[in-house]
Amino acid sequence: MTTTMTAPPPSVTQRYLEEAERYSAHNYHPLPVVLDRGEGVWVWDVEGNRYLDMLASYSAVNQGHRHPEIIAAAREQMDRLTLTSRAFHNDRMGPFLHELCDAAGFDAALPMNTGAEAVETAIKMVRKWGYEVRGVPDGHAEIIVCEDNFHGRTTTIVGFSSEDQYRAGFGPFTPGFRLIPYGDIDALRAAIGPNTVGFLVEPIQGEAGVIVPPDGYLRDAAALCRENGVAFVADEIQTGLGRTGRFMCCDWEDVRPDVLIVGKALGGGVYPVSAAIADSEFMDVFRPGDHGSTFGGNPLGAAVGSASLRVILDEDLSRRSDELGTWFMDRLRAIPSPHVDEVRGRGLMIGVVIRESSGTARPFCEALKERGILAKETHHQVVRFAPPLTVTRTELEDALVEIEAVLR
Ligand SMILES: *Cc1c(COP(=O)(O)O)cnc(C)c1O
């Protein structure tokens, strides 16, 4: 006897997934959840399910979704003026960069939009500084970078990635970069040559799986750079703006970079805002026409950037991240799990490393999703927990019940 089964009608979620599958380039592998609303640490899917957002858009939403002050600043600015281009001045960029430079402790900032653009800006800055200030022979400037780095997706940036997939099929690449192991001060010492103009580094490697370098590494690397006249360039796009429990992750070791790169949370999850920040010695290599961006420093982005920065400072999100992160990491480590190799991180930038014998991190993320927690695997074995820094201890307590159930 046979029974004929009729397939159930596709769910609302299924319809959105199919549409994206059909019309989107397949350059991502998202979890199968379709979100349509967010507030604070919470997001909702199209079926009305609520989730704790423990990715926070790769730390672009440190202030929480739709923070009222950031939304109000954006609304107000949208009713006045949104884009002027840099052919004219606007009344928002100066105040924003003033606040940003005061907070970070530098002379000047060059505003861009995405993180990758700010990294490109820093690369151009230290190369030109190398030629004009250091006297490196034209075309020979070298920048040292670290294995397993993630600095963005432009052809120049992926050209110095050590990740095959980031590079494969996209060459030829920009020369002038040299890869060394991350966290290895001797490798840095050995790699510095007469034409080395910069050392570009993430204070914690986020995309590589939340890799925390040995204590003292940033301080020693910065000192080594200073002794050799090499610019120390910190990519704090993900680690900065409170994420690791300090305003900048370099603050953990009292390191002041020569060039500081910020992005992500500088736009408060509302609008892309990034910047390369430095003292005049570096910034002054840029003269009119050398570099630019149609949208960089626009009034809407600047208003959003000002509000995003203010929320981080006014709500003391760095301290929250430090206190909650330390506590949360201890609680994660206390979970008796046969699957967890290690829990590592700083502040609320935390990686739970899944044992190879337990498979990849992906099924754990899928199981967390079923229990109302959104996290995304990074580098196959790592579940990253990086919620908005406005999260409360109670919300994390509730999340721990679900996380524990999944990890056990
Ligand atoms: C996200 C990220 C970037 C790239 O930023 P985009 O806005 O995606 O271009 C660069 N560096 C680090 C460390 C990042 O986390």
Side-chain angles (χ1 to χ4, degrees):
M1 199 176 80
T2 55
T3 49
T4 30
M5 300 270 293
T6 44
S11 67
V12 189
T13 295
Q14 203 56 39
R15 289 208 305 272
Y16 283 110
L17 296 182
E18 281 165 14
E19 193 175 37
E21 173 71 16
R22 163 67 183 79
Y23 289 104
S24 164
H26 299 124
N27 57 330
Y28 275 94
H29 182 38
L31 287 176
V33 60
V34 181
L35 304 173
D36 70 354
R37 193 155 68 87
E39 187 176 332
V41 298
W42 302 102
V43 287
W44 284 262
D45 70 13
V46 288
E47 322 257 355
N49 300 306
R50 189 180 80 155
Y51 305 87
L52 180 66
D53 181 2
M54 294 202 76
L55 178 65
S57 306
Y58 302 90
S59 297
V61 195
N62 286 356
Q63 302 88 339
H65 290 274
R66 294 190 308 110
H67 191 289
E69 283 178 36
I70 304 174
I71 294 296
R75 283 221 169 95
E76 198 217 321
Q77 192 58 42
M78 280 171 132
D79 285 338
R80 291 208 294 128
L81 180 67
T82 55
L83 184 63
T84 54
S85 87
R86 297 291 303 275
F88 314 113
H89 287 274
N90 70 69
D91 69 344
R92 282 294 180 194
M93 189 189 79
F96 165 51
L97 299 183
H98 188 166
E99 288 158 12
L100 183 60
C101 288
D102 279 356
F106 286 88
D107 290 345
L110 198 158
M112 298 294 279
N113 313 284
T114 66
E117 289 173 304
V119 171
E120 291 275 358
T121 302
I123 290 169
K124 288 168 83 170
M125 193 190 308
V126 299
R127 280 183 166 184
K128 194 149 191 246
W129 169 84
Y131 299 127
E132 293 197 345
V133 179
R134 278 270 316 280
V136 168
D138 194 35
H140 287 78
E142 194 170 81
I143 295 173
I144 298 171
V145 295
C146 293
E147 283 168 15
D148 297 322
N149 69 70
F150 182 82
H151 297 289
R153 298 289 200 162
T154 66
T155 43
T156 288
I157 293 170
V158 299
F160 59 78
S161 171
S162 59
E163 180 78 21
D164 283 342
Q165 201 201 344
Y166 293 173
R167 297 163 52 92
F170 301 132
F173 299 116
T174 312
F177 297 92
R178 183 161 176 172
L179 270 171
I180 60 167
Y182 184 63
D184 182 342
I185 196 71
D186 295 327
L188 177 61
R189 189 178 293 111
I192 293 176
N195 296 334
T196 307
V197 296
F199 174 49
L200 171 61
V201 66
E202 298 157 86
I204 291 175
Q205 289 185 325
E207 294 317 295
V210 191
I211 312 284
V212 184
D215 280 345
Y217 175 66
L218 298 173
R219 194 180 51 234
D220 293 348
L224 202 51
C225 286
R226 201 174 315 116
E227 284 160 27
N228 290 278
V230 170
F232 183 90
V233 184
D235 179 349
E236 294 252 24
I237 291 168
Q238 189 165 154
T239 51
L241 300 170
R243 174 50 60 189
T244 72
R246 293 288 184 273
F247 183 57
M248 292 294 148
C249 189
C250 281
D251 294 343
W252 277 103
E253 300 196 351
D254 293 321
V255 165
R256 184 175 184 273
D258 295 302
V259 183
L260 173 66
I261 309 169
V262 289
K264 292 203 165 107
L266 194 55
V270 173
Y271 189 93
V273 184
S274 68
I277 310 174
D279 282 342
S280 308
E281 176 187 348
F282 291 91
M283 200 59 83
D284 287 352
V285 302
F286 287 125
R287 288 179 281 275
D290 283 353
H291 188 51
S293 160
T294 303
F295 280 83
N298 75 69
L300 179 58
V304 165
S306 284
S308 302
L309 189 61
R310 207 175 325 117
V311 167
I312 288 163
L313 299 173
D314 289 355
E315 298 187 13
D316 213 354
L317 293 185
S318 308
R319 194 173 50 81
R320 284 186 68 85
S321 175
D322 189 16
E323 288 170 6
L324 284 176
T326 304
W327 166 83
F328 190 56
M329 228 175 326
D330 283 345
R331 291 290 302 270
L332 287 170
R333 287 190 178 120
I335 295 175
S337 166
H339 307 296
V340 176
D341 204 20
E342 191 193 351
V343 177
R344 62 195 181 206
R346 274 233 160 100
L348 282 168
M349 183 172 184
I350 300 169
V352 173
V353 186
I354 302 296
R355 290 213 162 96
E356 305 247 347
S357 55
S358 297
T360 68
R362 176 87 183 189
F364 290 89
C365 293
E366 286 166 352
L368 285 168
K369 188 206 91 171
E370 295 307 315
R371 291 170 172 272
I373 291 172
L374 292 185
K376 186 73 167 66
E377 76 278 7
T378 173
H379 261 242
H380 311 296
Q381 295 314 123
V382 183
V383 182
R384 172 172 28 197
F385 290 119
L389 307 181
T390 52
V391 70
T392 65
R393 185 177 291 238
T394 312
E395 286 159 346
L396 288 176
E397 285 276 11
D398 293 344
L400 274 163
V401 175
E402 309 302 331
I403 294 169
E404 175 153 358
V406 168
L407 289 180
R408 273 169 178 265

